[in-house]
Amino acid sequence: MGIYEIMKEKNIVLPPAPAKGGLYTQCMPFGEKLVYISGCGSDLEGDAVHGKLGKELTIEQGQQCAKNAVLNLLSVVDANVGLENVKKCIKILVFVGSDPDFYDQPKVANGGSQVLVDLFGEAPSRSAVGMVSLPGNQPVEIEGIFELK
Amino acid sequence: MGIYEIMKEKNIVLPPAPAKGGLYTQCMPFGEKLVYISGCGSDLEGDAVHGKLGKELTIEQGQQCAKNAVLNLLSVVDANVGLENVKKCIKILVFVGSDPDFYDQPKVANGGSQVLVDLFGEAPSRSAVGMVSLPGNQPVEIEGIFELK
Amino acid sequence: MGIYEIMKEKNIVLPPAPAKGGLYTQCMPFGEKLVYISGCGSDLEGDAVHGKLGKELTIEQGQQCAKNAVLNLLSVVDANVGLENVKKCIKILVFVGSDPDFYDQPKVANGGSQVLVDLFGEAPSRSAVGMVSLPGNQPVEIEGIFELK
């Protein structure tokens, strides 16, 4: 089954690729068959919550934000190299805007990992860490490395 | 001298590979002869301190945590590809749970780098940065890239 | 035009390569034609401000710090492999020491990206995130991956 069929089956709908928020390249090829995707925030059009985990937001809201950030990542991948040419996600680094007393970054990150498992049948390697603040007060930012076929 | 002999000589004892704390792959091959190891915390069975540097913990305690996190990393490497097949550690990213006024992340990270120097005869490239919070309130989390022979 | 001529034209002057602040390798080759450069702070001799964005420092000061950190990165690259052998910068990870209410990390990071655009004609992929504290209270730390010709 092709990846766009999987997306249809799993009800995964890609947003438009996010606008660049600065002076960087969104998708950068490197090495053999790898691309680096610049950090994507969790804002989607019509679905943007702001604040920090452990303060304004619940874990469930954070999981939705992590899912949205992964959707943004995938949208950048699709616009630049085409998701049908992607083998899998190698790695994500999950930045979670956090209060000093919030320690559940992995639970939040799982909301993003799940989408990648659904699509590629395998979870990426990952770190999930707490950030004192993120661009635009978005609760989650995720960068990733994808491997092409 | 093989790496397991070096470990015996240097008194480096690997813990059991840590349990996964979420939806991710602990050891992910990529590119040519490289593996990404997901962020490992500093908790060892019977040796787990929690808190932040500059607040509850001394630099010496932080160094022990960085050492423990590297031992967890190495344990994941060993369980997945066998340490005898590893050439060296290319890079570590050292996340140090920190109070806003704590600025000695490199000293803390050295506790982990030293183990890698002992084993591979060469220090990896590295960043060491202060985090507002880390999973489970562990003081140190480290992710790494290793090169296979 | 060679890269040293571009630097002359753009008035980009490299500082001496920064001293190592711990147990790590400043420039580590990996994969095919890639080097990892360990995190460089923003301190230059005679040009070192300390503090956090959103607290003691303005965005303009932060941009100068990001520029200085990139100059330190480039200086390490030049000392180790020679800038004339570099094709481009693949990726930077920009750590910005931030107050919990500071959300303009991308604007700060642009100060560093601009130098790379000037030199290589292309911006790297990038993440820019807020850190509760950085080594030596430097406002910006940047690590990078460069591709050799």
Side-chain angles (χ1 to χ4, degrees), chain B residues 34 36 88-91 93 98-100 102-103 105-106 110 113-114 122-132 145, chain C residues 21-32 36-39 52 55 93 95 131-137 141 143:
Chain B
L34 297 171
Y36 239 118
K88 63 178 166 181
C89 181
I90 295 295
K91 207 243 167 175
L93 181 44
S98 300
D99 196 66
F102 181 77
Y103 307 126
Q105 287 84 11
N110 286 349
S113 298
Q114 185 62 56
E122 186 180 356
S125 63
R126 182 183 95 181
S127 295
V129 290
M131 313 307 292
V132 75
I145 300 173
Chain C
L23 200 56
Y24 58 85
T25 295
Q26 290 184 303
C27 173
M28 178 67 88
F30 75 108
E32 211 179 331
Y36 238 118
I37 309 299
S38 293
K52 290 186 186 35
K55 208 173 166 193
L93 181 44
F95 303 109
M131 312 308 292
V132 76
S133 59
L134 287 172
N137 200 15
E141 177 173 333
E143 62 166 48

Coordinates of all heavy atoms in Angstrom, one line a residue, chain B residues 34 36 88-91 93 98-100 102-103 105-106 110 113-114 122-132 145, chain C residues 21-32 36-39 52 55 93 95 131-137 141 143:
Chain B
L34 N 26.6 4.4 10.6 CA 26.3 5.3 11.7 C 25.0 4.8 12.4 O 24.1 4.2 11.8 CB 26.1 6.7 11.2 CG 27.3 7.4 10.6 CD1 26.8 8.7 10.0 CD2 28.4 7.6 11.6
Y36 N 22.1 6.2 15.4 CA 21.6 7.3 16.3 C 21.1 6.6 17.5 O 20.3 5.6 17.4 CB 20.4 8.0 15.6 CG 20.7 9.5 15.5 CD1 20.7 10.1 14.2 CD2 20.8 10.3 16.6 CE1 20.9 11.5 14.1 CE2 21.0 11.7 16.5 CZ 21.1 12.2 15.2 OH 21.3 13.6 15.0
K88 N 33.9 4.5 17.1 CA 34.0 5.6 18.1 C 32.7 6.3 18.2 O 31.7 6.0 17.4 CB 35.1 6.6 17.7 CG 34.8 7.3 16.4 CD 35.9 8.3 16.1 CE 35.9 8.8 14.7 NZ 37.0 9.7 14.4
C89 N 32.6 7.2 19.2 CA 31.4 8.0 19.3 C 31.7 9.3 18.5 O 32.7 10.0 18.7 CB 31.2 8.3 20.8 SG 29.7 9.4 21.0
I90 N 30.8 9.6 17.6 CA 30.9 10.8 16.8 C 30.5 12.1 17.5 O 31.1 13.1 17.4 CB 30.1 10.7 15.5 CG1 30.6 9.5 14.6 CG2 30.0 12.0 14.7 CD1 32.0 9.8 14.0
K91 N 29.4 12.0 18.2 CA 28.8 13.2 18.7 C 27.8 12.9 19.9 O 27.1 11.9 19.8 CB 28.0 13.9 17.6 CG 27.8 15.3 17.8 CD 26.4 15.7 18.0 CE 26.2 17.1 18.5 NZ 24.8 17.5 18.6
L93 N 24.9 15.0 22.5 CA 24.2 16.2 22.8 C 23.8 16.0 24.3 O 23.0 15.1 24.6 CB 23.0 16.4 21.9 CG 22.2 17.7 22.1 CD1 23.0 19.0 22.3 CD2 21.3 17.9 20.9
S98 N 18.8 22.4 34.5 CA 19.5 23.5 35.1 C 18.6 24.6 35.7 O 17.6 24.9 35.2 CB 20.4 24.2 34.1 OG 21.4 23.3 33.5
D99 N 19.1 25.2 36.8 CA 18.5 26.4 37.3 C 18.9 27.5 36.3 O 20.0 27.5 35.7 CB 19.1 26.6 38.7 CG 18.3 27.6 39.5 OD1 17.1 27.4 39.8 OD2 18.9 28.7 39.8
P100 N 18.1 28.6 36.2 CA 18.5 29.7 35.3 C 19.9 30.3 35.6 O 20.5 30.9 34.7 CB 17.4 30.8 35.6 CG 16.2 30.0 36.1 CD 16.8 28.9 36.9
F102 N 22.6 28.6 36.5 CA 23.7 27.6 36.5 C 24.4 27.6 35.1 O 23.7 27.4 34.1 CB 23.2 26.2 36.8 CG 24.2 25.1 36.8 CD1 25.1 25.0 37.8 CD2 24.4 24.3 35.7 CE1 26.1 24.0 37.8 CE2 25.4 23.3 35.6 CZ 26.2 23.2 36.7
Y103 N 25.7 27.8 35.1 CA 26.4 28.0 33.8 C 27.5 27.0 33.6 O 28.3 27.2 32.7 CB 26.9 29.4 33.8 CG 25.9 30.5 34.0 CD1 26.1 31.4 35.0 CD2 24.7 30.5 33.3 CE1 25.1 32.4 35.3 CE2 23.7 31.5 33.5 CZ 23.9 32.4 34.6 OH 23.0 33.4 34.8
Q105 N 27.5 23.7 32.5 CA 27.1 22.5 31.8 C 28.3 21.7 31.3 O 28.3 20.5 31.3 CB 26.1 22.9 30.7 CG 24.7 23.2 31.2 CD 24.6 24.7 31.6 OE1 25.5 25.5 31.3 NE2 23.5 25.1 32.2
P106 N 29.3 22.4 30.8 CA 30.5 21.7 30.2 C 31.1 20.8 31.3 O 31.5 19.7 31.0 CB 31.4 22.8 29.7 CG 30.5 23.9 29.3 CD 29.4 23.9 30.4
N110 N 31.5 16.7 31.1 CA 32.8 16.0 31.1 C 32.8 14.7 31.8 O 33.5 13.8 31.4 CB 33.9 16.9 31.8 CG 34.3 18.1 30.9 OD1 34.0 18.2 29.8 ND2 35.1 19.0 31.6
S113 N 31.8 12.5 28.9 CA 32.8 12.4 27.9 C 34.0 11.5 28.3 O 34.6 10.8 27.5 CB 33.4 13.8 27.6 OG 32.4 14.7 27.1
Q114 N 34.4 11.6 29.6 CA 35.5 10.9 30.1 C 35.4 9.4 29.8 O 36.4 8.7 29.4 CB 35.7 11.1 31.6 CG 37.0 10.5 32.1 CD 38.2 11.1 31.5 OE1 38.5 12.3 31.5 NE2 39.1 10.2 30.9
E122 N 39.3 8.8 22.2 CA 39.1 10.1 21.5 C 37.7 10.6 22.0 O 36.8 9.9 22.2 CB 38.9 9.8 20.0 CG 38.8 11.0 19.1 CD 38.7 10.7 17.6 OE1 38.8 9.5 17.3 OE2 38.5 11.6 16.8
A123 N 37.7 11.9 22.2 CA 36.4 12.5 22.7 C 35.5 12.8 21.5 O 36.0 13.1 20.4 CB 36.7 13.8 23.5
P124 N 34.2 12.7 21.7 CA 33.3 13.0 20.6 C 33.2 14.5 20.4 O 33.6 15.3 21.3 CB 32.0 12.4 21.1 CG 32.0 12.5 22.6 CD 33.5 12.3 22.9
S125 N 32.6 15.0 19.3 CA 32.1 16.4 19.3 C 30.9 16.5 20.2 O 30.3 15.4 20.6 CB 31.8 16.8 17.9 OG 30.7 16.1 17.3
R126 N 30.5 17.7 20.6 CA 29.6 17.8 21.7 C 29.0 19.2 21.9 O 29.6 20.2 21.6 CB 30.4 17.5 23.0 CG 29.6 17.5 24.3 CD 30.5 17.3 25.5 NE 30.9 18.5 26.1 CZ 31.7 18.6 27.2 NH1 32.2 17.5 27.7 NH2 32.0 19.8 27.7
S127 N 27.7 19.2 22.3 CA 27.2 20.5 22.9 C 26.6 20.1 24.2 O 26.2 19.0 24.4 CB 26.1 21.0 22.0 OG 26.6 21.4 20.7
A128 N 26.7 21.1 25.1 CA 26.2 20.8 26.5 C 25.4 22.1 26.9 O 26.0 23.2 26.9 CB 27.4 20.6 27.5
V129 N 24.1 21.9 27.1 CA 23.2 23.0 27.3 C 22.3 22.8 28.5 O 22.0 21.7 28.9 CB 22.4 23.2 26.0 CG1 23.3 23.8 24.9 CG2 21.7 22.0 25.6
G130 N 21.7 23.9 29.0 CA 20.9 23.9 30.2 C 19.4 23.8 29.8 O 18.9 24.6 29.0
M131 N 18.7 22.9 30.4 CA 17.3 22.6 30.1 C 16.4 23.0 31.3 O 16.8 22.7 32.5 CB 17.1 21.1 29.8 CG 18.1 20.5 28.9 SD 18.2 21.4 27.3 CE 16.6 21.1 26.6
V132 N 15.3 23.5 31.1 CA 14.4 23.9 32.2 C 13.8 22.7 32.9 O 13.5 22.8 34.1 CB 13.3 24.9 31.6 CG1 12.2 24.1 30.9 CG2 12.6 25.6 32.8
I145 N 25.6 9.8 18.5 CA 25.8 9.1 17.3 C 27.1 8.3 17.4 O 28.2 8.9 17.8 CB 26.0 10.2 16.1 CG1 24.7 11.0 16.0 CG2 26.2 9.5 14.8 CD1 24.8 12.2 15.0
Chain C
G21 N 36.2 24.3 25.8 CA 35.7 24.5 27.1 C 35.4 23.2 27.9 O 34.6 23.2 28.8
G22 N 36.0 22.1 27.4 CA 35.7 20.9 28.1 C 36.3 19.7 27.3 O 37.2 19.9 26.4
L23 N 35.9 18.5 27.6 CA 36.5 17.3 27.1 C 35.7 16.9 25.8 O 34.7 16.1 25.9 CB 36.4 16.2 28.2 CG 37.2 15.0 28.1 CD1 38.7 15.4 28.0 CD2 37.0 14.1 29.3
Y24 N 36.0 17.5 24.7 CA 35.4 17.1 23.4 C 36.3 17.5 22.3 O 37.3 18.1 22.4 CB 34.0 17.9 23.3 CG 34.1 19.4 23.4 CD1 34.4 20.2 22.3 CD2 33.9 20.0 24.6 CE1 34.5 21.5 22.3 CE2 34.0 21.4 24.7 CZ 34.3 22.2 23.6 OH 34.4 23.5 23.6
T25 N 35.9 17.0 21.1 CA 36.6 17.3 19.8 C 35.9 18.4 19.1 O 34.6 18.3 18.9 CB 36.7 16.0 19.0 OG1 37.5 15.0 19.7 CG2 37.3 16.3 17.6
Q26 N 36.6 19.4 18.7 CA 35.9 20.6 18.1 C 35.3 20.3 16.7 O 34.3 20.8 16.4 CB 36.8 21.8 18.0 CG 37.2 22.3 19.4 CD 38.0 23.6 19.4 OE1 39.1 23.5 18.8 NE2 37.6 24.7 19.9
C27 N 36.0 19.5 15.9 CA 35.6 19.2 14.6 C 35.8 17.7 14.3 O 36.9 17.2 14.3 CB 36.5 20.0 13.6 SG 36.2 19.6 11.9
M28 N 34.6 17.0 14.1 CA 34.7 15.6 14.0 C 34.1 15.2 12.6 O 33.0 15.4 12.3 CB 33.8 15.0 15.1 CG 33.6 13.5 15.0 SD 35.2 12.6 15.4 CE 35.0 12.5 17.2
P29 N 35.0 14.6 11.8 CA 34.5 14.1 10.5 C 33.6 12.9 10.7 O 33.7 12.1 11.6 CB 35.8 13.6 9.8 CG 36.9 14.1 10.6 CD 36.4 14.3 12.0
F30 N 32.5 12.8 9.8 CA 31.7 11.6 9.8 C 31.0 11.4 8.5 O 30.9 12.3 7.7 CB 30.7 11.7 11.0 CG 29.5 12.6 10.8 CD1 28.2 12.1 10.5 CD2 29.7 14.0 10.8 CE1 27.1 13.0 10.3 CE2 28.6 14.8 10.6 CZ 27.3 14.3 10.3
G31 N 30.5 10.2 8.3 CA 29.9 9.9 7.0 C 30.7 10.3 5.8 O 32.0 10.3 5.9
E32 N 30.1 10.6 4.7 CA 30.9 11.0 3.6 C 30.9 12.5 3.5 O 29.9 13.2 3.2 CB 30.3 10.4 2.3 CG 31.3 10.1 1.3 CD 30.6 9.5 0.1 OE1 29.5 8.8 0.2 OE2 31.1 9.6 -1.0
Y36 N 31.0 17.5 12.0 CA 30.2 18.0 13.1 C 31.1 19.0 13.8 O 32.2 18.7 14.2 CB 29.8 16.9 14.0 CG 28.4 16.7 14.2 CD1 27.7 15.5 13.9 CD2 27.6 17.7 14.8 CE1 26.4 15.3 14.1 CE2 26.2 17.5 15.0 CZ 25.6 16.4 14.6 OH 24.3 16.2 14.8
I37 N 30.6 20.2 14.0 CA 31.3 21.2 14.8 C 30.6 21.3 16.2 O 29.4 21.7 16.2 CB 31.4 22.6 14.1 CG1 31.9 22.4 12.7 CG2 32.3 23.5 14.9 CD1 33.3 21.8 12.5
S38 N 31.4 21.1 17.2 CA 30.8 21.2 18.6 C 30.3 22.6 18.9 O 30.7 23.6 18.3 CB 31.9 20.9 19.6 OG 32.3 19.5 19.5
G39 N 29.3 22.7 19.8 CA 28.7 23.9 20.1 C 29.7 25.0 20.4 O 30.5 24.8 21.3
K52 N 20.5 36.9 29.3 CA 19.5 36.2 28.6 C 18.7 37.2 27.7 O 18.5 38.3 28.1 CB 18.6 35.5 29.5 CG 19.3 34.3 30.2 CD 18.3 33.5 31.1 CE 18.9 32.4 31.9 NZ 20.3 32.7 32.4
K55 N 15.6 39.4 28.9 CA 15.9 39.9 30.3 C 16.9 41.0 30.2 O 16.6 42.2 30.1 CB 16.4 38.7 31.1 CG 16.1 38.9 32.6 CD 16.5 37.6 33.3 CE 16.6 37.8 34.8 NZ 17.2 36.8 35.5
L93 N 22.0 24.2 14.9 CA 21.1 24.2 16.0 C 21.5 25.4 16.9 O 22.6 25.4 17.4 CB 21.2 22.8 16.7 CG 20.3 22.6 17.9 CD1 18.9 23.0 17.7 CD2 20.4 21.1 18.3
F95 N 21.0 27.5 20.1 CA 20.5 27.6 21.4 C 20.5 29.1 21.9 O 21.6 29.7 21.9 CB 21.4 26.8 22.3 CG 21.5 25.3 21.9 CD1 22.7 24.9 21.4 CD2 20.5 24.4 22.1 CE1 22.9 23.5 21.0 CE2 20.7 23.1 21.7 CZ 21.9 22.6 21.2
M131 N 16.7 28.4 25.8 CA 17.4 27.6 26.8 C 17.3 28.3 28.1 O 17.5 29.6 28.2 CB 18.9 27.4 26.4 CG 19.1 26.9 25.0 SD 18.2 25.5 24.5 CE 18.9 24.2 25.5
V132 N 17.1 27.6 29.2 CA 17.1 28.2 30.5 C 18.4 28.8 30.9 O 18.5 29.7 31.7 CB 16.5 27.2 31.6 CG1 17.6 26.2 32.0 CG2 16.0 28.0 32.8
S133 N 19.5 28.2 30.4 CA 20.8 28.7 30.7 C 21.9 28.0 29.8 O 21.7 26.9 29.3 CB 21.2 28.4 32.2 OG 21.2 27.0 32.5
L134 N 22.9 28.7 29.6 CA 24.0 28.3 28.7 C 25.4 28.4 29.3 O 25.5 29.3 30.2 CB 24.0 29.0 27.3 CG 22.8 28.7 26.4 CD1 22.7 29.6 25.2 CD2 22.9 27.2 25.9
P135 N 26.3 27.7 28.9 CA 27.7 27.7 29.5 C 28.2 29.2 29.6 O 28.2 29.9 28.6 CB 28.5 26.9 28.6 CG 27.6 25.9 28.0 CD 26.3 26.6 27.9
G136 N 28.7 29.5 30.8 CA 29.3 30.8 31.0 C 28.3 32.0 30.8 O 28.7 33.1 30.7
N137 N 27.0 31.7 30.9 CA 26.0 32.7 30.7 C 26.1 33.4 29.3 O 25.7 34.6 29.2 CB 26.0 33.7 31.8 CG 24.7 34.5 32.0 OD1 23.7 34.1 31.4 ND2 24.7 35.6 32.7
E141 N 24.5 29.8 21.9 CA 25.5 28.7 21.5 C 24.9 28.0 20.3 O 23.7 27.8 20.1 CB 25.6 27.7 22.7 CG 26.5 26.5 22.3 CD 26.7 25.5 23.5 OE1 26.6 26.0 24.7 OE2 27.0 24.4 23.3
E143 N 25.7 24.8 17.3 CA 26.5 23.7 16.8 C 26.1 23.6 15.3 O 25.0 24.1 14.9 CB 26.2 22.4 17.5 CG 24.8 22.0 17.5 CD 24.6 20.5 18.0 OE1 25.1 20.2 19.0 OE2 23.9 19.8 17.3

